[in-house]
Every structure is written in structure tokens, then in C-alpha cells.
Amino acid sequence: MFLPGLAVHSLLLYASGASALSAPTDKQWAKLSQAVGGRLYTSLPLASSCFSTVNGQPSTPNATECALVQQGYTQPDFRFDNYSAHMMPQWETCQTSLQRCLLNSDNPSDPAAWEDHECWQGAIAPRYIDVRTTNDILEALKFVKKTGIQFSIKASGHDYKGRSSFGSLSLWTKNLNSLSYSATFKPEGGHETYSAVTTGAGVPTEDIYEFADQNNVTILGGYASTIVEAGGWAQAGGHSILSPVYGLGIDRVLQYKIVTFDGVVRTANKYQNSDLFWALRGGGGSTFGVVLEATFLAEPRMSLRVASISFTQTADNARGFLEILVNNSYKWGQEGWGGHMGPASLINVNPLLTLEEANASVQPAVEYALAQGGKAVVEDLPSWQAFFTKYVPSAQASVGVQTILGSRLIPTDPFFTDEDGQEALVDLMSKMISTYAVNPYIIQGTPFLYNYTNGSTSATPAWRNSLWQIGFHENMAYNATLETMFSQYEIVNNITAWMRELAPDSGAYFNEANPYEPDHEVTFWGENYPTLLQLKNKYDPDRLMDCWMCIGWKGAADERYSCYLNISSNF
Ligand SMILES: Cc1cc2nc3c(=O)[nH]c(=O)nc-3n(C[C@H](O)[C@H](O)[C@H](O)COP(=O)(O)OP(=O)(O)OC[C@H]3O[C@@H](n4cnc5c(N)ncnc54)[C@H](O)[C@@H]3O)c2cc1C
Ligand SMILES: *[C@@H]1O[C@H](CO)[C@@H](O)[C@H](O)[C@H]1NC(C)=O
Ligand SMILES: *[C@@H]1O[C@H](CO)[C@@H](O)[C@H](O)[C@H]1NC(C)=O
Ligand SMILES: *[C@@H]1O[C@H](CO)[C@@H](O)[C@H](O)[C@H]1NC(C)=O
Ligand SMILES: *[C@@H]1O[C@H](CO)[C@@H](O)[C@H](O)[C@H]1NC(C)=O
Ligand SMILES: *[C@@H]1O[C@H](CO)[C@@H](O)[C@H](O)[C@H]1NC(C)=O
Ligand SMILES: *[C@@H]1O[C@H](CO)[C@@H](O)[C@H](O)[C@H]1NC(C)=O
Ligand SMILES: *[C@@H]1O[C@H](CO)[C@@H](O)[C@H](O)[C@H]1NC(C)=O
Ligand SMILES: *[C@@H]1O[C@H](CO)[C@@H](O)[C@H](O)[C@H]1NC(C)=O
Ligand SMILES: *[C@@H]1O[C@H](CO)[C@@H](O)[C@H](O)[C@H]1NC(C)=O
Ligand SMILES: *[C@@H]1O[C@H](CO)[C@@H](O)[C@H](O)[C@H]1NC(C)=O
């Protein structure tokens, strides 16, 4: 029986999955450890040093260690560095049994967290391999096939759906940290060359940006410090605020190196394993194999025009600003703007306009904000790195907080081209605020101006005729009761239902959608799903890997998902 929430104090007794032949013996684990150079480790929850009961056993707290965890609890870099930490801590827990080991994210030094609660392993795989070589992966896959255990792959742990948690064993790719630049990168089997950066499947955005800057080029990536670009980001879509001009992550990958789940090391690009290449450009992480590295097309260093506008939101002033955003976004899209916007703020960038043009372009938003007593900056910065370090660390989405996400891609026509469409969109966002006090999180990050080659990627084609992604965050307290959690997931369902009603033929971004999105095959992949499923069967013939709503998903009732709440209205 697979019981992810149960005590595993000694961590020697973990049972295996449904298809298990029998649980691996100590001897088998020891052999695996030897085969991977001793880099098989056991794990304990991040905050376990604060608690006096850990996995059902008495434990002596370590005040020094606990203080370090408190200090780093909501810092992406701290979480990135620790195997047991996920950016959304509910994916460290078993939500159904409430077995968890969390601190109070509003105040990590609140002693109630460890005085009133026990610490449980939850969804954290009790063993992980610190992957450093291709051989580590081959050995791990052999072991999984032989023993039938469930496993997971974790890079940064940014996943919003728990896809990098669970199982008896995890492959942690953080130390696949190679980075190289070539001005004349040639995809294997091809002749043409590109300016490109090759990144290992453990390198976070902040390192890639800095490295690209040192090489005088620009690499597109996410709006956060520690997303692994070769991990889940580029495999599922990958939006950047430069995507309106330069395309999504999936548009910019030139080549992947991967160990597919059938145990074969492959290079996938336009010339070799091109079916797999297509599948990896949108099919999602954890689906076809363990990616070793990805090569991304680079742009030259570019200066950027930046608009940063904000004011204090009130019940009366949000709608007016949202109208300005909706009314201007089509023009802004044509001018090459991308950015993150909300009812009382925006941070947008533009690589195409002059400063004077950019300034004139955003004046309606500037004037509105100033009239509300807010502030506005329109400036020129010399590079993406200059923009990123100045703006993103303080603006990126929170981590260390149990956050549920929901989102939908919003088609350009009619929502930005027609007065009724515009009004319906403003109404939807106003309703989110008035009904649930939930702010829309607007991303102008679709490939609006990008010259896409139809059929070249496998994510939902809805990306290609949308101008915005509207998302939102619903945060659950560290000690939320089951009842509260159910009602918070229901709020997310209710809001995404409104979004689907508004734009029924659109889709959503696999990485950032409601974890309980109905009809997920169509929503995330549209017409590409049947081919993706064939390729899942081709490259993972034994179905070694399954993950929540991934291609070929076994469904919520599979025992791997016993820690996911049964938000049954959608199934
Ligand atoms: C704060 C925050 C900000 C974000 N901002 C953006 C943004 O600006 N743009 C955007 O597009 N997305 C954004 N995202 C979403 C992000 O792209 C996804 O969470 C993505 O899945 C993260 O990939 P990861 O590999 O870093 O994370 P992980 O949680 O480690 O992995 C995600 C998925 O990929 C799989 N995976 C990881 N490594 C590999 C590998 N080597 N081989 C095979 N599978 C692998 C995992 O098993 C899992 O299924 C954001 C998320 C957060 C939490
Ligand atoms: C407590 O944690 C600190 C910091 O990680 C470590 O140096 C120390 O050895 C630990 N003490 C004990 C008794 O384990
Ligand atoms: C992560 O944190 C746990 C719990 O404090 C600790 O035991 C472990 O050594 C840390 N692991 C890494 C890789 O930092
Ligand atoms: C960096 O790249 C820019 C844009 O291509 C170019 O103008 C500049 O000369 C380069 N600088 C160096 C030091 O190579
Ligand atoms: C932008 O335009 C406003 C209004 O015309 C002007 O006051 C401001 O100085 C301009 N800012 C920049 C950076 O050009
Ligand atoms: C936005 O456009 C609509 C018509 O499409 C108009 O009614 C509304 O006044 C405009 N709002 C702003 C703030 O420009
Ligand atoms: C896209 O293609 C059009 C028409 O071929 C061309 O005018 C435009 O410059 C291209 N845009 C980019 C960003 O390459
Ligand atoms: C893209 O190609 C698909 C078939 O591969 C087709 O159904 C669709 O209509 C095409 N879309 C465009 C915009 O040409
Ligand atoms: C959750 O924790 C907070 C702060 O520690 C406390 O005030 C609150 O009562 C707790 N809620 C529940 C449901 O236990
Ligand atoms: C969700 O919507 C349904 C139908 O309108 C409503 O009955 C329910 O109360 C809503 N749930 C929450 C948590 O608001
Ligand atoms: C959730 O409940 C529904 C209806 O009661 C059931 O059909 C479904 O299998 C359950 N799902 C899980 C994940 O247990």
C-alpha cells in the first residue's frame, strides 16, 4: 500500500506503488546507493528541526537550525537549496490527512506552529538521489522498473500542482548545473548555427540571466529568481514578459538532451527525435523522461523601456484602472509591450519603442495612477539583467505560502477588439474582486507579435490567439482546516468557471492553471492531445511515471493521489 502521509521516521520502511512487485529491500536500496555514487539520501521536512515530534517519534528540536529555517522560510533561494522544500508548501504535505510540517508563513517565528502541531513527512519523498550524471538517471530508472515504486522528479519545486512531489524516491536535478554559451551553436544533425545558451536541468533563472548578461546576450525566462528553465518551465510553455515579441520558452528551445523513461539517452531537436522534440515543447515536465539539459536561442543584449506604475487600491478605483488596461492592451500588444498588471499596478517592458514613444503610450495609466495619489516611473534600462535585478526580486509571486492558482488564456478577439468584449472582461475581473476579494493577476506574456510556425509546439494553440493570461492566487493558512481548504479550492473552481464561461473555446497554461481544471486534456493541449498520448506511450512504454493531469494521467482515484483533496464537483 502506498500511504504518502504515514510515519517514516527511520525512512527504511517506505512501501511502494500499486504496480509494485514488492517493496524494495534495504539491500536493494543499498545497491542503488552504490550505483549512484552514494548520492541516495533520506529526507526530513524542511522545518523538522523546530518540532518535538517528527513522523510520530519524539525528536529533539535544534534551535539554531530552526532559526535558519524561519529566516529563509519565504525566500526562494533558501527553498531552492533544500530538497525537502517546495515553493508552495502544500506540496510538502498530505492535504487529505493534514499530515504536515509547516511554519506560519505570515510570521515564521510564530511558536504556535511547532508547539501546537506535530511534524509529518507528508508529500516529501522519503528518499532522493542528488542527480549529477546521466548514469544516476539510468540507474534510477532501472531501479524503478524493477521494483515498481512510484517516483518523482524535482528541479526547483515551483510546481503549482504537486507534480514534483510524492513517491518513494525522487530525482533531484538541482546539481545538473552546467551553463555554456555558443555564438555558433549547431543542433546535432543540422548545419545552421545559432547564438544560444545551453543550461543543465538544475539551473535557476537568476543564474541563467546573469550568465547570459556576462556573455552579452539575452535569454528569456520566468518572472521569478529560481524557476528551472530546462525543467517544468520550458517543457510546458514558459512565458516571459518578453514573449510578446520573442516567443514562449517552447518557441525558443533548439535542443533537449534527455533520458527517456524507456531508459535511452536521446538528443531531441528538429533533426533527431523530432517527434519527441515537439512533445517536449509543450507536453509538460515529468512526462517523457528526465531532461538533462536544454539549449535556448539567445537574443542580443537589448535595452528596455520600463513602466512601473502603482497606487493604493480601493473599492472605488480598481475598475477604472482595469478599464484602462483592457482598452489599451491591444495597442500595447502591437507596440511590443509585455508585463504583469493588476487592479492598481503594472510593471511593463518594451524592447521596440523609444523612451519618448513608450512614455506617451502608457500615459493613460500614468495619469490615472497619479490622480489616485500613486506613483509612476517610465525609464530606460540597458539590459534584461538590469531590469530583472531592479524590479523582479521584490515583485515576484510569494513563496513559502500555500497558494492555489487558477488562470485562463484570454483571446484577443473579442476581449480587446470589441466594446462588448472589453466590458465583459472588465466585469469578470471586477466580480472576482467584489465577490471574493481576489485580485486578477494579469500577464501580458503571450506570443502576440511572434511569428509562430503553426504546429511547431504542442501546448494549447490558444496561446497563439490570446493577448493575456488572467490568473489569481488564493492563499491557505499554514494551519487551515480541511473545511477551509475545501472552500478555498471551491473559490478557485468558481472563479475559473466564470473564466471558462467567458472564453469557452480558449485554454489554460498547464503550469499555472486551477489544479482541479475539468476537461484538462482539451484545456491544456487542445487538438495536440491524441498525438501527445501516442508519444507518451512510445517513450514511456511501461508507464514508469504518472503525474497529476499530465499526458496519460491515470486519474485522481489512483493511489498516488491519495493526498490530493477530492474536490469532486469537477470529476
Ligand atoms: C513564484 C513563481 C513564479 C512563476 N513565474 C512564472 C513565469 O513567469 N512564467 C512561467 O511560464 N511560469 C512561471 N511559473 C510557473 C513555473 O513555470 C512552473 O511552476 C514550472 O513547472 C516550474 O518548473 P521547475 O522545473 O522549476 O519546477 P519543479 O516543481 O521542480 O518541476 C515542475 C515539473 O517539471 C518536472 N521536471 C522538473 N525537472 C525536470 C527534468 N529535468 N526532466 C523532466 N521533468 C522535470 C517536475 O517533475 C514537475 O512535473 C512560476 C511559478 C512560481 C511558483
Ligand atoms: C544544530 O544545527 C546546527 C546548524 O545546522 C548544526 O551546526 C548543529 O550541529 C546542530 N546541533 C545538533 C545538536 O545537532
Ligand atoms: C534541508 O533541510 C533539512 C531539515 O532541516 C535538513 O535535514 C537537510 O540537511 C537540508 N538539506 C539540504 C540539501 O540542504
Ligand atoms: C554587446 O551586444 C550589443 C548588442 O548586440 C553590441 O552592440 C555590443 O557591442 C556588445 N558589447 C560587447 C562588449 O561585446
Ligand atoms: C513622460 O511624459 C510626461 C507627460 O508628458 C512628462 O511629464 C515626463 O517627463 C515624461 N517622462 C519621460 C521619462 O520622458
Ligand atoms: C474603455 O472603453 C469603453 C468602450 O469600449 C468605454 O466605455 C470606457 O469609457 C473606456 N474606459 C476608459 C477608462 O478608457
Ligand atoms: C513577422 O513577420 C512579418 C511578416 O513576414 C514581418 O514583417 C515581421 O517583421 C516579423 N516579426 C518579427 C518579430 O520577426
Ligand atoms: C494549424 O494547423 C492545424 C493542423 O495541424 C489546423 O487545424 C489549424 O487550422 C492551423 N491553424 C492555422 C492558424 O493555420
Ligand atoms: C492558526 O494559527 C494562527 C496563528 O498561529 C492562530 O491564530 C489561529 O487560531 C490558528 N487557526 C486554527 C484553525 O487553528
Ligand atoms: C461557488 O459557487 C456556487 C454556485 O454559485 C455557490 O453555491 C458556492 O457557495 C460557491 N462557493 C464558494 C466557496 O463561494
Ligand atoms: C472523489 O469522489 C468521487 C465521487 O464521490 C469519486 O468518483 C472519485 O473517484 C473520488 N476521487 C478521488 C480522487 O478519490
Side-chain angles (χ1 to χ4, degrees):
M1 277 272 277
F2 180 65
L3 299 166
L6 278 200
V8 280
H9 185 66
S10 71
L11 301 164
L12 290 173
L13 41 93
Y14 226 66
S16 52
S19 58
L21 307 173
S22 66
T25 60
D26 289 356
K27 212 171 136 189
Q28 282 176 304
W29 285 116
K31 259 181 84 179
L32 175 65
S33 176
Q34 202 171 34
V36 299
R39 290 186 304 278
L40 174 67
Y41 297 97
T42 56
S43 71
L44 282 175
L46 181 69
S48 55
S49 57
C50 301
F51 290 76
S52 55
T53 304
V54 176
N55 291 328
Q57 306 286 324
S59 178
T60 310
N62 180 330
T64 314
E65 180 78 29
C66 177
L68 288 174
V69 175
Q70 291 170 34
Q71 211 171 40
Y73 202 70
T74 57
Q75 302 299 317
D77 290 299
F78 182 80
R79 288 190 167 266
F80 181 80
D81 282 340
N82 194 293
Y83 165 72
S84 298
H86 289 254
M87 299 296 161
M88 306 300 129
Q90 74 264 35
W91 302 117
E92 299 164 10
T93 78
C94 185
Q95 295 177 82
T96 45
S97 64
L98 292 185
Q99 288 186 322
R100 50 196 178 188
C101 188
L102 303 181
L103 300 186
N104 179 352
S105 46
D106 292 335
N107 171 19
S109 59
D110 176 1
W114 55 87
E115 284 171 0
D116 300 351
H117 304 273
E118 297 184 339
C119 167
W120 293 93
Q121 189 80 12
I124 305 160
R127 286 188 177 80
Y128 67 92
I129 297 172
D130 169 4
V131 173
R132 308 243 171 180
T133 67
T134 306
N135 186 60
D136 291 348
I137 298 169
L138 291 168
E139 290 293 340
L141 294 180
K142 255 195 278 177
F143 183 85
V144 166
K145 189 168 173 180
K146 189 162 162 196
T147 59
I149 57 159
Q150 308 251 9
F151 77 115
S152 51
I153 305 165
K154 184 197 176 210
S156 70
H158 269 257
D159 199 61
Y160 281 108
K161 289 195 183 67
R163 293 174 300 156
S164 44
S165 303
F166 303 103
S168 321
L169 175 68
S170 181
L171 307 188
W172 189 30
T173 63
K174 183 211 165 210
N175 288 311
L176 292 176
N177 53 15
S178 60
L179 262 178
S180 62
Y181 171 68
S182 171
T184 56
F185 175 79
K186 208 183 274 184
E188 280 174 32
H191 297 292
E192 78 285 15
T193 61
Y194 302 89
S195 166
V197 167
T198 299
T199 154
V203 187
T205 31
E206 57 191 358
D207 292 1
I208 297 173
Y209 295 155
E210 192 184 353
F211 178 80
D213 194 63
Q214 284 161 359
N215 285 281
N216 200 33
V217 295
T218 309
I219 288 290
L220 267 69
Y223 201 74
S225 324
T226 58
I227 295 171
V228 167
E229 296 203 17
W233 182 79
Q235 291 180 63
H239 61 73
S240 153
I241 59 177
L242 294 175
S243 294
V245 178
Y246 301 103
L248 296 169
I250 50 178
D251 295 320
R252 303 188 60 82
V253 182
L254 297 168
Q255 179 167 290
Y256 283 104
K257 290 207 170 142
I258 180 172
V259 184
T260 43
F261 290 134
D262 57 0
V264 181
V265 184
R266 300 177 199 267
T267 297
N269 63 31
K270 193 154 81 165
Y271 305 99
Q272 296 179 10
N273 297 302
S274 59
D275 58 352
L276 177 62
F277 185 49
W278 175 83
L280 286 168
R281 296 167 82 188
S286 257
T287 301
F288 304 101
V290 185
V291 166
L292 294 161
E293 62 175 48
T295 302
F296 292 97
L297 178 64
E299 296 296 326
R301 176 194 293 263
M302 62 182 80
S303 66
L304 294 170
R305 265 53 59 200
V306 181
S308 172
I309 298 170
S310 64
F311 57 93
T312 305
Q313 182 175 348
T314 66
D316 300 325
N317 67 16
R319 188 178 171 105
F321 193 67
L322 291 171
E323 277 189 14
I324 288 172
L325 300 184
V326 171
N327 288 12
N328 285 278
S329 275
Y330 188 76
K331 174 171 175 279
W332 288 342
Q334 288 178 315
E335 292 168 342
W337 287 101
H340 289 200
M341 307 185 277
S345 68
L346 65 77
I347 298 178
N348 288 2
V349 301
N350 191 308
L352 303 181
L353 298 179
T354 65
L355 181 60
E356 199 181 326
E357 289 165 345
N359 189 38
S361 166
V362 296
Q363 278 311 302
V366 170
E367 280 162 21
Y368 192 89
L370 296 182
Q372 307 303 315
K375 47 189 191 203
V377 174
V378 181
E379 65 174 333
D380 198 33
L381 290 176
S383 64
W384 171 259
Q385 177 70 355
F387 166 75
F388 181 79
T389 51
K390 179 164 180 183
Y391 283 99
V392 179
S394 58
Q396 62 187 307
S398 307
V399 306
V401 185
Q402 303 195 88
T403 301
I404 318 167
L405 214 65
S407 70
R408 195 153 184 92
L409 293 163
I410 306 299
T412 307
D413 182 15
F415 299 108
F416 301 94
T417 53
D418 169 281
E419 284 190 17
D420 291 342
Q422 289 174 331
E423 195 181 337
L425 183 56
V426 173
D427 285 348
L428 168 98
M429 295 189 287
S430 301
K431 191 170 159 190
M432 290 167 63
I433 300 170
S434 60
T435 311
Y436 291 121
V438 163
N439 274 339
Y441 190 111
I442 300 161
I443 299 179
Q444 186 139 348
T446 62
F448 188 65
L449 291 183
Y450 179 73
N451 284 334
Y452 179 62
T453 303
N454 189 24
S456 58
T457 63
S458 54
T460 170
W463 279 109
R464 308 296 166 179
N465 48 33
S466 295
L467 181 55
W468 283 5
Q469 170 180 287
I470 297 184
F472 58 94
H473 299 118
E474 176 71 18
N475 293 341
M476 300 184 288
Y478 80 104
N479 57 350
T481 60
L482 266 182
E483 195 187 5
T484 307
M485 289 164 70
F486 268 104
S487 101
Q488 294 196 267
Y489 275 109
E490 195 175 301
I491 289 173
V492 174
N493 276 347
N494 282 2
I495 296 175
T496 49
W498 300 340
M499 291 180 169
R500 277 192 302 280
E501 272 165 38
L502 184 78
D505 300 327
S506 188
Y509 176 26
F510 185 35
N511 278 344
E512 298 191 324
N514 178 354
Y516 294 95
E517 188 68 35
D519 202 13
H520 66 281
E521 296 94 337
V522 172
T523 303
F524 303 144
W525 297 287
E527 65 197 20
N528 297 323
Y529 191 80
T531 312
L532 285 165
L533 185 58
Q534 281 171 13
L535 293 168
K536 170 73 175 172
N537 289 330
K538 175 173 175 185
Y539 290 106
D540 185 9
D542 300 315
R543 289 297 182 97
L544 295 191
M545 176 59 91
D546 195 61
C547 50
W548 186 259
M549 294 195 177
C550 295
I551 306 291
W553 185 38
K554 288 177 183 157
D558 189 87
E559 53 185 334
R560 182 179 176 111
Y561 308 112
S562 59
C563 285
Y564 285 73
L565 292 177
N566 191 345
I567 312 292
S568 54
S569 60
N570 277 345
F571 289 108

